Amino acid sequence: MDNVQILTGNQAAALGAKLCQVQVVSAYPITPQTSLTEVLSHYIEGGELQAEYVRVESEHSAMTVCIAASTAGARVFTSTSSHGLLYMHEQLHWAAGSRLPIVMCCINRGVGAPWSIFNDQQDSIAQRDTGWIQIYCRDNQEIIDTVIQAYRIAEAVYVPVMVCYDGFVLSHTTMPVRIPDERDVRAFLPSYQPHTILNSQEPRNINPVIFPWRRMDAEGCLRDGYMELRYKLQKALEEAKPVIGKACSDYTAIFGRVHEGLFWRYRLDDADALLIGMGSLATEATMAVDRLREQGVKAGVLGVRLYRPFPREEIKNCIGQRKALLIFEKDISYGYEGALCSDVKAALYGSEVKAPVHNFICGLGGRDVKAEELADAVKTSLKMIGAGNLKQQTIWLNCRTEKSNDGQSF
Amino acid sequence: MIDNNISAMCKPAPGEAGKTGDWRDMRPVIDHTKCTPYVKNKPACFLCWLYCPEGVIRDTIPVEIDLDYCKGCGICAEECPMGAIAMVAEGKQDG
């Protein structure tokens, strides 16, 4: 019989890490992540999880502990949000460059200044280029399942994985969650095989100063230079896509739940207008699509699950000959447009796709985004497109300055 | 099959970061006739050996500097109480 529990996103993530039998946890509390690490410390202190909880004075140190423990062969877990993630930034590069299969939950929160504890996705988007795999979850069931999948993916390709989900909207909201059976998780997830076994009989320098060119080491063995190692990291991310797809289909075979690997589709088959988004915002878009369909608008949702590596070909093929692309996101690349919008458009370059693009920046710093607002925004956009205005728009949804959106009402 | 070169690593050995002596533009040159261990033929002084941040000076008689790895910082010349070490620009004749 199914074991269903009513859990917050943070409780689901903690339980996922426990089911993966993580051996070292190191984290520093920050809203809205705190209740995740509290649950894990409770598991460890109560003897339910045989792991070491390493207390640290900062997120930078938390990631450093994870790097050291992962290098020594332990399966490690951490989690953070917003400023904590930004404080880790240097060590995020270090973890990816060391090719360590660390799994971290990023509970998405806006970034100061000014202070905000509320949800948007600026924090993890700002870490896009650190060499981590990034997966965005749409609900609490997907969180627990994705944490388990993340270890399988990370340990197969030796790239760390960031499991991102929206602060408060998911982290502190309870939903029924089916709890995977511990034995099934063991069957799905083989034990961690580190790429390097540290051994006191055979000491090594890890990540020494490396020169731009390839050269012989002291033993006459040709060693990669900086660029070769960076190229291998890039290849590992590119080649992770089929591994992620396989992890998802194997997961479905064992647990019965489908989380489409790279992105998910909602009422998409005959849709002319495509709403594209990530995380709970894309979930909200499914409700907007239901409203639009009732009003005769053929709309559907493409929910991006895997943001890095970006599923370029797959998204391009899915977009095909749709008539309008409406990209909703909770981040902004200042001075240009939403980061997801840029990536989607880049995927279409040189293809036959000519659909007009409207980019919606919304929900920054926790501003509420309602399904009817998304539906209304889509209708306004489609009206503009229908009137022959095909120029790209970047619209700040529900932003009330006098000059926002060139006087158009969104 | 895991790539042995998946991340940067090496076994601790002299030269694993290259012959760092080629970073040098000033070279230490010892005048042994002023150097205490040589003059007294006793293991004495060795302040240059003690202060060298690169560990490239040997506390032998006479004192030896491994120019393959000496970066030319000049600390030995600064610390020598006898003024026995001169820093000479690379490419110029000794002393």
Side-chain angles (χ1 to χ4, degrees):
Chain A
M1 211 175 82
D2 277 348
N3 173 11
V4 180
Q5 295 181 21
I6 307 294
L7 297 179
T8 65
N10 280 348
Q11 289 167 333
L15 192 48
K18 177 172 172 254
L19 286 167
C20 295
Q21 297 184 303
V22 296
Q23 294 159 301
V24 172
V25 175
S26 185
Y28 190 85
I30 183 168
T31 302
Q33 158 263 33
T34 307
S35 52
L36 195 174
T37 51
E38 281 172 353
V39 173
L40 276 173
S41 66
H42 181 84
Y43 287 150
I44 294 170
E45 191 64 20
E48 283 180 71
L49 173 61
Q50 299 299 313
E52 198 73 40
Y53 193 109
V54 184
R55 283 174 297 175
V56 286
E57 88 302 342
S58 74
E59 288 84 358
H60 188 277
S61 298
M63 184 49 69
T64 309
V65 166
C66 290
I67 288 167
S70 183
T71 305
R75 180 175 285 162
V76 303
F77 179 81
T78 188
S79 58
T80 190
S81 295
S82 184
H83 293 264
L85 184 68
L86 305 191
Y87 196 20
M88 271 182 192
H89 177 78
E90 181 212 2
Q91 296 305 95
L92 297 183
H93 283 281
W94 200 266
S98 308
R99 303 292 301 277
L100 295 171
I102 296 166
V103 171
M104 169 165 66
C105 285
C106 171
I107 296 81
N108 289 116
R109 164 184 152 179
V111 171
W115 276 119
S116 171
I117 59 163
F118 302 105
N119 164 242
D120 64 40
Q121 295 177 345
Q122 193 72 39
D123 52 357
S124 55
I125 291 292
Q127 308 309 314
R128 180 189 69 180
D129 300 333
T130 54
W132 284 56
I133 291 170
Q134 283 194 359
I135 302 174
Y136 288 78
C137 301
R138 76 192 112 155
D139 58 33
N140 296 358
Q141 183 68 62
E142 191 173 8
I143 293 171
I144 190 169
D145 294 336
T146 303
V147 167
I148 296 165
Q149 293 174 7
Y151 280 104
R152 165 100 164 238
I153 296 160
E155 291 170 9
V157 297
Y158 295 105
V159 175
V161 177
M162 200 182 294
V163 177
C164 305
Y165 58 91
D166 290 310
F168 296 112
V169 182
L170 297 179
S171 69
H172 287 62
T173 306
T174 54
M175 299 177 198
V177 174
R178 284 176 205 284
I179 311 302
D181 181 78
E182 211 175 307
R183 280 161 306 178
D184 289 343
V185 173
R186 269 203 289 279
F188 173 77
L189 184 64
S191 58
Y192 168 36
Q193 305 294 330
H195 62 67
T196 303
I197 309 287
L198 286 183
N199 178 351
S200 60
Q201 303 307 307
E202 200 193 336
R204 292 170 198 224
N205 288 343
I206 297 192
N207 293 317
V209 176
I210 191 156
F211 291 86
W213 50 89
R214 296 165 84 201
R215 60 176 197 86
M216 298 288 183
D217 66 11
E219 292 182 323
C221 173
L222 188 65
R223 289 292 183 179
D224 283 335
Y226 189 86
M227 275 194 76
E228 286 74 24
L229 289 162
R230 290 286 135 169
Y231 175 76
K232 285 180 179 179
L233 177 59
Q234 162 72 358
K235 281 308 256 192
L237 268 104
E238 284 179 350
E239 287 164 9
K241 276 192 273 183
V243 175
I244 294 164
K246 178 81 166 49
C248 285
S249 57
D250 286 356
Y251 197 87
T252 302
I254 295 177
F255 300 96
R257 284 185 293 281
V258 180
H259 303 293
E260 296 163 78
L262 313 181
F263 56 86
W264 50 271
R265 305 158 172 85
Y266 182 77
R267 301 186 81 167
L268 208 61
D269 289 347
D270 63 339
D272 291 329
L274 217 51
L275 284 70
I276 303 176
M278 300 198 291
S280 65
L281 184 58
T283 313
E284 196 77 21
T286 62
M287 291 185 282
V289 159
D290 290 343
R291 282 161 195 273
L292 289 163
R293 290 262 174 186
E294 279 167 24
Q295 297 161 31
V297 180
K298 282 208 251 173
V301 179
L302 188 166
V304 176
R305 185 167 183 261
L306 182 68
Y307 181 60
R308 281 294 180 276
F310 195 68
R312 174 167 47 192
E313 282 298 312
E314 296 82 355
I315 285 183
K316 185 187 79 184
N317 293 339
C318 180
I319 288 172
Q321 296 308 308
R322 319 268 176 184
K323 304 220 165 53
L325 304 179
L326 307 144
I327 303 170
F328 293 88
E329 53 192 309
K330 292 184 172 184
D331 65 85
I332 172 81
S333 175
Y334 291 103
Y336 195 26
E337 60 190 4
L340 179 63
C341 180
S342 297
D343 287 332
V344 169
K345 284 193 301 179
L348 303 177
Y349 183 75
S351 75
E352 295 301 305
V353 179
K354 295 282 180 282
V357 174
H358 281 198
N359 184 201
F360 294 88
I361 309 300
C362 47
L364 298 188
R367 182 154 300 187
D368 201 16
V369 184
K370 294 190 174 71
E372 68 235 44
E373 291 165 349
L374 296 179
D376 287 347
V378 170
K379 281 190 283 180
T380 308
S381 276
L382 293 179
K383 215 173 283 172
M384 288 169 75
I385 292 166
N389 182 358
L390 303 181
K391 213 178 108 208
Q392 189 200 319
Q393 310 283 325
T394 300
I395 297 141
W396 288 60
L397 193 66
N398 260 334
C399 183
R400 299 295 187 215
T401 73
E402 283 166 24
K403 289 182 180 168
S404 49
N405 304 324
D406 300 328
Q408 275 278 357
S409 173
F410 279 95
Chain B
M1 220 354 233
I2 296 169
D3 176 7
N4 279 329
N5 264 327
I6 190 168
S7 71
M9 65 183 79
C10 59
K11 293 182 182 159
E16 57 103 341
K19 299 244 161 144
T20 45
D22 66 8
W23 300 13
R24 183 178 63 232
D25 52 24
M26 298 286 278
R27 177 170 84 252
V29 177
I30 306 180
D31 178 354
H32 291 292
T33 64
K34 293 185 192 167
C35 172
T36 304
Y38 187 82
V39 171
K40 304 209 168 200
N41 195 29
K42 281 181 183 165
C45 186
F46 292 135
L47 285 173
C48 54
W49 165 81
L50 188 64
Y51 277 99
C52 174
E54 295 297 325
V56 298
I57 301 182
R58 289 184 67 191
D59 55 344
T60 49
I61 305 170
V63 164
E64 286 172 14
I65 300 177
D66 186 346
L67 291 175
D68 276 350
Y69 300 107
C70 167
K71 292 176 182 162
C73 70
I75 290 174
C76 55
E78 182 71 21
E79 294 298 336
C80 177
M82 307 308 289
I85 304 176
M87 297 304 291
V88 177
E90 284 294 349
K92 291 217 173 118
Q93 291 293 314
D94 291 1

